[in-house]
Amino acid sequence: MPRIKEQALKTELAKHGFESISIKRELPGGRVEVEANKLHPVHVEGGESIYAPIPVSLSVGLDARGRVKSIDGGTPDPAAVADATRYVKTLRDSGQLAAAGEQQPASGLTHQIERDAQGRQVLRRKRFSIS
Amino acid sequence: MARKRSKRAAKMSAAKSKRRGKARAAPTEAKPKGVINAWEQDPGDGAQPTGGQVIQRPVPVLREQPFSIRIANPASAPQAKPHSPGTGDFRYWTAAEALRRGADFWGALLPGTSWEVGSILPVDLDFGIDLNAFYDRQGLKFFHGLAAGRTVFSGESPDVVCHELGHAVLDSLKPQLFDAASIEVAAFHESFGDMSAILSALQLPSLREGVLAETGGVLRRASRLSRLAEQLGWAIRQSVPSAVEADCLRNAVNTFFYRDPDTLPTMAPATALSSEPHSFSRVFTGAFFEGLAGMLATSGTRDEAALLQLSQDIGVILVEGIRAASVVPTFFSQVAATMLGVAASEFSAQGYEVPLRSGFVRHGILAPSMAVAATHAPVRSAAVAASTESTTLPRLQLSVAEYGLGVPSIVVYAAAEPKRLQAAGAALAVGPAPAPGQDQAAKSFFEDLLRRGRLKVAKAGKPAAEVVRSSAPLTHETYTHELQREGKQMVLRRVRIDCGCGHH
């Protein structure tokens, strides 16, 4: 079993578009099971896709030095994409999602749509509220 | 199991010793002496904005490990002594006390874990005007707002403080959940906040004694423990009455039953369920609270010491369940199933899995067969032969192997007469709900009995199939049905009609 360098693995997986990465467990054969989020288009507004972080699980193969050799999985499940689409609608309807470009979240807002470094519009949580 | 308990106790003690050791290595200051005044659980009492209990507590030290905290606003701490409610100094210390208590509770369960925001969690006790409170990845933020001529400070309520602290704790435990675009994940985060408020409150001896006296030892009854944020709920109710419960913000004693959030409206009054995360969170919180109540009901003693132990044990089960749960759209059932697995493997002697499973099944988070599978209960089998009994209703042989009843099938009397009117319940979207076939209807009815804890299960089938109601009276049985052996068959028979108000 290669020694897992957790931070290096996270950095490597981030290059493949994974976020909020956590190593769930080590598997036989030099593999690790990882949970993460991956941005995926879930909604179209004004002709432009809105991306949301979708939970995914993946199995990462490592070489003897602990470097990423292969990645299996990590593609958002259709049910998870449908869940995210519904989530965006719920946030909109309940007034928890700020309009694109709104800088200062108003009371009750928990999410914003931000433009990321690649120019994509991305749903991002800004905070949790009690009500 | 005593050995298991000892192992766990030793593990926690070792973790505490490790922390103490670390504290000794660093420059330390003497702990302040004396006491401060604080709200026990909330400034409000039921539907009233006032009437909360004031208690005296040791001066809290926020910078201590585990989970160091710093109140950034106000910038300096007032004198540590008992202050009168209604003053800023009182509000500071009641918030500090709740923060330290919540952090100590979760810290003991999560040794070595640090805040997602860094080594210290900053707290702002008055960030502006709002009837709300936030956790973001910078810290906790509380507000003040005006309602019916009264200024309400959200940071003054230990319920609200420990709810927000719960978000920060869960973010440290499972950061992936913060941003995941999923209704159940977001709802679970809210539920965890409410569970944090409940479990942190139970660390107070006065609260434990008070709630046991208030409920007569039947935790399943609505109480100061189950009602979350009475005063903030009152304040919101003044402007939007339908947005909150009648006597608090949310109540952990509820009858909400799981629905696929995709079938729910995106908004609804507090009396109904919607897919909005705070609303939907009540399903899990209700199941959790019912499980906790059931754990107390089935324990040998119902004193405050037992309640303290249960709060810590269910905290372990919750944390380990969350750790093991996969982050999928059906996150509620994932966490519930893993919690049952932890209860069965680590607390088997205490018998926690039956009351916990009952809570999850009765709130629809787990189907009875899934709940049985989650605890890896063996499915027993027995031969059932054909019956010669004549009946007034058609008889059905119903397969029940998956419920762990000890028999592969039972006989039921099906409601299978021809319909006089073609009527059915409405679907949520359009038109009537599909009418189930008689087999499915009979199975639905049977499973409903299990879910509601209305089926008396024969000893051979326990504990795999049993669903207990923590609200069931101790003096008499309230089952409505039981499985009776008739010849070589097990037959589902009604034994009573319960017209009581115990809708649970």
Side-chain angles (χ1 to χ4, degrees):
Chain A
M1 174 67 69
R3 189 174 166 195
I4 298 171
K5 294 173 184 165
E6 188 171 337
Q7 196 50 49
L9 177 59
K10 287 182 176 179
T11 304
E12 190 64 25
L13 289 176
K15 291 177 189 169
H16 291 81
F18 296 103
E19 307 177 334
S20 301
I21 299 154
S22 63
I23 297 170
K24 200 161 185 193
R25 60 180 171 158
E26 293 183 30
L27 303 170
R31 302 193 73 82
V32 287
E33 186 182 329
V34 171
E35 283 193 334
N37 292 337
K38 187 160 195 183
L39 294 182
H40 191 84
V42 296
H43 182 63
V44 176
E45 277 183 9
E48 193 174 0
S49 292
I50 306 290
Y51 287 74
I54 311 283
V56 293
S57 59
L58 51 149
S59 168
V60 182
L62 304 172
D63 66 17
R65 296 174 64 186
R67 293 177 303 197
V68 174
K69 198 168 62 178
S70 63
I71 298 173
D72 291 337
T75 304
D77 181 83
V81 175
D83 182 28
T85 305
R86 177 74 179 180
Y87 185 56
V88 172
K89 177 171 168 48
T90 294
L91 293 174
R92 278 263 190 253
D93 290 357
S94 58
Q96 293 179 49
L97 175 57
E102 195 173 330
Q103 291 302 308
Q104 192 63 40
S107 174
L109 294 175
T110 57
H111 288 72
Q112 274 185 303
I113 291 175
E114 300 176 345
R115 204 168 283 283
D116 72 359
Q118 296 173 49
R120 299 176 296 188
Q121 292 211 91
V122 181
L123 176 74
R124 291 292 185 197
R125 179 182 282 279
K126 306 313 288 181
R127 59 197 184 190
F128 285 98
S129 70
I130 195 163
S131 65
Chain B
M1 188 56 227
R3 195 167 61 87
K4 279 197 175 175
R5 167 87 78 196
S6 301
K7 268 174 73 179
R8 175 163 296 286
K11 211 168 154 185
M12 287 184 73
S13 173
K16 282 180 181 169
S17 299
K18 207 173 168 184
R19 285 195 300 276
R20 280 199 297 269
K22 276 187 182 172
R24 275 198 298 274
T28 56
E29 295 170 34
K31 264 200 167 190
K33 291 176 182 171
V35 294
I36 50 96
N37 281 345
W39 295 119
E40 184 182 63
Q41 166 261 335
D42 193 80
D45 181 22
Q48 303 304 315
T50 58
Q53 304 280 321
V54 176
I55 55 172
Q56 289 206 326
R57 295 280 291 161
V59 176
V61 184
L62 290 176
R63 65 177 175 278
E64 270 187 351
Q65 292 288 342
F67 285 140
S68 291
I69 298 164
R70 179 174 62 89
I71 293 180
N73 178 30
S76 58
Q79 189 180 358
K81 66 173 191 177
H83 296 281
S84 298
T87 64
D89 293 352
F90 174 88
R91 286 194 294 273
Y92 180 97
W93 285 113
T94 199
E97 191 282 328
L99 288 164
R100 186 67 263 158
R101 175 160 41 87
D104 282 345
F105 174 73
W106 291 113
L109 302 176
L110 296 163
T113 308
S114 59
W115 299 115
E116 185 66 11
V117 302
S119 59
I120 298 174
L121 182 71
V123 177
D124 191 320
L125 291 182
D126 194 6
F127 194 65
I129 300 170
D130 200 353
L131 293 175
N132 215 332
F134 297 135
Y135 164 70
D136 55 25
R137 279 188 165 167
Q138 295 170 330
L140 306 187
K141 295 178 174 71
F142 301 94
F143 298 82
H144 72 274
L146 197 64
R150 174 185 293 275
T151 301
V152 167
F153 292 84
S154 63
E156 186 173 358
S157 164
D159 271 353
V160 176
V161 168
C162 291
H163 172 99
E164 294 307 321
L165 186 87
H167 282 304
V169 168
L170 183 55
D171 198 22
S172 307
L173 172 61
K174 203 134 177 161
Q176 185 194 5
L177 304 185
F178 184 89
D179 215 18
S182 165
I183 291 171
E184 283 196 32
V185 169
F188 184 81
H189 232 291
E190 296 303 337
S191 178
F192 190 89
D194 288 358
M195 292 186 281
S196 171
I198 290 163
L199 296 178
S200 299
L202 283 172
Q203 305 316 299
L204 290 171
S206 62
L207 186 287
R208 296 193 297 274
E209 287 164 2
V211 76
L212 288 171
E214 184 183 349
T215 62
V218 183
L219 210 58
R220 185 65 183 84
R221 294 175 179 155
S223 68
R224 69 182 82 173
L225 180 65
S226 72
R227 287 186 290 269
L228 180 85
E230 289 95 324
Q231 190 188 61
L232 184 63
W234 170 86
I236 294 170
R237 197 179 308 119
Q238 303 314 301
S239 51
V240 192
S242 68
V244 296
E245 310 256 359
D247 56 1
C248 59
L249 185 66
R250 288 184 288 277
N251 199 328
V253 172
N254 64 56
T255 53
F256 291 113
F257 193 86
Y258 180 84
R259 300 288 297 268
D260 179 347
D262 199 36
T263 66
L264 291 171
T266 52
M267 284 177 71
T271 50
L273 205 57
S274 79
S275 60
E276 192 281 321
H278 297 90
S279 174
F280 198 60
S281 74
R282 295 176 297 173
V283 178
F284 197 94
T285 311
F288 173 86
F289 197 87
E290 184 161 348
L292 177 66
M295 285 162 65
L296 182 67
T298 54
S299 70
T301 51
R302 297 190 191 189
D303 56 17
E304 65 92 12
L307 191 49
L308 175 64
Q309 185 63 55
L310 290 178
S311 71
Q312 293 166 350
D313 289 349
I314 203 170
V316 171
I317 293 168
L318 179 61
V319 162
E320 293 190 17
I322 292 167
R323 269 206 183 106
S326 298
V327 186
V328 294
T330 53
F331 192 58
F332 278 9
S333 61
Q334 285 291 314
V335 176
T338 50
M339 284 178 69
L340 291 186
V342 174
S345 63
E346 296 192 29
F347 296 94
S348 59
Q350 287 88 340
Y352 291 159
E353 69 269 27
V354 171
L356 277 176
R357 186 177 64 234
S358 300
F360 290 130
V361 169
R362 281 169 42 76
H363 285 261
I365 291 171
L366 287 174
S369 55
M370 286 183 187
V372 171
T375 48
H376 305 291
V379 178
R380 298 167 183 85
S381 61
V384 175
S387 168
T388 55
E389 183 187 350
S390 64
T391 62
T392 53
L393 285 172
R395 298 190 321 160
L396 287 175
Q397 197 85 20
L398 203 63
S399 169
V400 294
E402 67 268 41
Y403 299 116
L405 292 166
V407 291
S409 63
I410 59 171
V411 172
V412 299
Y413 295 99
E417 290 182 311
K419 282 184 178 177
R420 291 178 187 161
L421 294 169
Q422 287 299 321
L428 284 174
V430 179
Q438 56 180 269
D439 280 19
Q440 190 188 340
K443 193 130 185 184
S444 295
F445 178 74
F446 179 77
E447 186 160 320
D448 191 52
L449 289 176
L450 271 178
R451 283 176 175 166
R452 291 188 292 110
R454 292 295 185 174
L455 176 68
K456 186 174 185 178
V457 178
K459 279 183 182 172
K462 290 181 180 178
E466 190 178 28
V467 174
V468 295
R469 287 176 303 131
S470 55
S471 58
L474 297 171
T475 52
H476 58 281
E477 290 187 341
T478 54
Y479 298 108
T480 57
H481 291 72
E482 66 182 27
L483 290 173
Q484 297 176 352
R485 182 163 291 283
E486 298 179 6
K488 292 182 177 177
Q489 294 183 318
M490 293 297 281
V491 183
L492 181 67
R493 293 286 192 187
R494 178 184 279 281
V495 291
R496 64 177 61 85
I497 295 174
D498 183 0
C499 296
C501 61
H503 53 279
H504 291 183

